[in-house]
Amino acid sequence: MIKTKEAFTNEELAHLVFDLADASYPHGSPWTREQWQTDLALPHSRYFLWEQDGQLLGFLACHLILSEMEIMQVAVHPAHQKKGLAQQLIQALINLAQKAEVDSIFLEVRASNHAAKQVYEKNGFEAIGIRKNYYYYPTEDAVIMLKKVR
């Protein structure tokens, strides 16, 4: 079931998303618990959380500013990957974008993350540029992707 961040306190959710990101990313969470908590408190941050049987299995974090959205993070627990959870989280984001009359959704993804790029492309995102050496551990380019909503 998909929930929003309002179902939790910021401190509680910061711990949950940190732990999930830490388990999901090859080199651990890209943000500290404090950074997650700060992001959760921002008025323009939105979170879509896939929870099942009281356990957080995946999340999508984004920012909504004026008529644009940016996906900040997407993570699905390794034991639940390749089951369509990321697809459902992205669809929830697109539904919100349409209701909020958003023009565009942006994101950056590791150039080597073919599975993620494939999911984004399936949802209408197109590569529009490269950020050289954007990621670290290991250093890698980011592919900038865009989806026009309206």
Side-chain angles (χ1 to χ4, degrees), residues 1 4 6-7 14 23 49 57 65 69 75 77-79 82 102-103 115 131 134-136 147:
M1 167 187 280
T4 61
E6 290 74 21
L49 309 149
L57 303 182
I65 301 174
M69 293 181 101
H77 191 280
K82 301 193 186 314
V102 165
D103 293 328
R131 292 191 197 278
Y134 183 78
Y135 292 105
Y136 53 93
K147 175 179 177 62

Side-chain angles (χ1 to χ4, degrees), residues 89-121:
L89 291 165
I90 292 167
Q91 191 56 57
L93 170 80
I94 292 169
N95 291 343
L96 172 65
Q98 290 169 337
K99 288 177 189 169
E101 298 184 355
V102 165
D103 293 328
S104 306
I105 305 171
F106 292 89
L107 63 89
E108 289 102 6
V109 60
R110 281 186 180 270
S112 66
N113 193 341
H114 302 295
K117 289 190 298 188
Q118 190 173 35
V119 171
Y120 295 132
E121 288 168 355

Side-chain angles (χ1 to χ4, degrees), residues 1-145:
M1 167 187 280
I2 296 180
K3 295 183 176 183
T4 61
K5 71 178 185 177
E6 290 74 21
F8 304 87
T9 67
N10 285 353
E11 185 175 341
E12 176 183 44
L13 190 51
H15 285 282
L16 290 172
V17 296
F18 173 84
D19 290 345
L20 179 61
D22 205 43
S24 301
Y25 289 102
H27 297 284
S29 177
W31 293 351
T32 65
R33 280 187 176 85
E34 293 76 21
Q35 288 171 309
W36 286 110
Q37 194 164 348
T38 298
D39 188 67
L40 284 157
L42 295 172
H44 58 268
S45 78
R46 305 287 185 273
Y47 280 66
F48 298 91
L49 309 149
W50 183 272
E51 187 185 52
Q52 185 174 324
D53 300 325
Q55 187 177 23
L56 184 63
L57 303 182
F59 71 87
L60 184 152
C62 68
H63 290 168
L64 170 59
I65 301 174
L66 302 175
S67 65
E68 293 184 353
M69 293 181 101
E70 182 177 4
I71 296 175
M72 306 305 292
Q73 306 276 342
V74 179
V76 174
H77 191 280
H80 299 278
Q81 292 176 357
K82 301 193 186 314
K83 296 181 181 178
L85 272 64
Q87 169 64 34
Q88 292 182 49
L89 291 165
I90 292 167
Q91 191 56 57
L93 170 80
I94 292 169
N95 291 343
L96 172 65
Q98 290 169 337
K99 288 177 189 169
E101 298 184 355
V102 165
D103 293 328
S104 306
I105 305 171
F106 292 89
L107 63 89
E108 289 102 6
V109 60
R110 281 186 180 270
S112 66
N113 193 341
H114 302 295
K117 289 190 298 188
Q118 190 173 35
V119 171
Y120 295 132
E121 288 168 355
K122 178 180 175 182
N123 285 281
F125 286 83
E126 297 180 14
I128 61 166
I130 300 288
R131 292 191 197 278
K132 290 288 191 190
N133 302 318
Y134 183 78
Y135 292 105
Y136 53 93
Y137 301 119
T139 300
E140 185 174 351
D141 295 346
V143 176
I144 304 166
M145 300 186 83

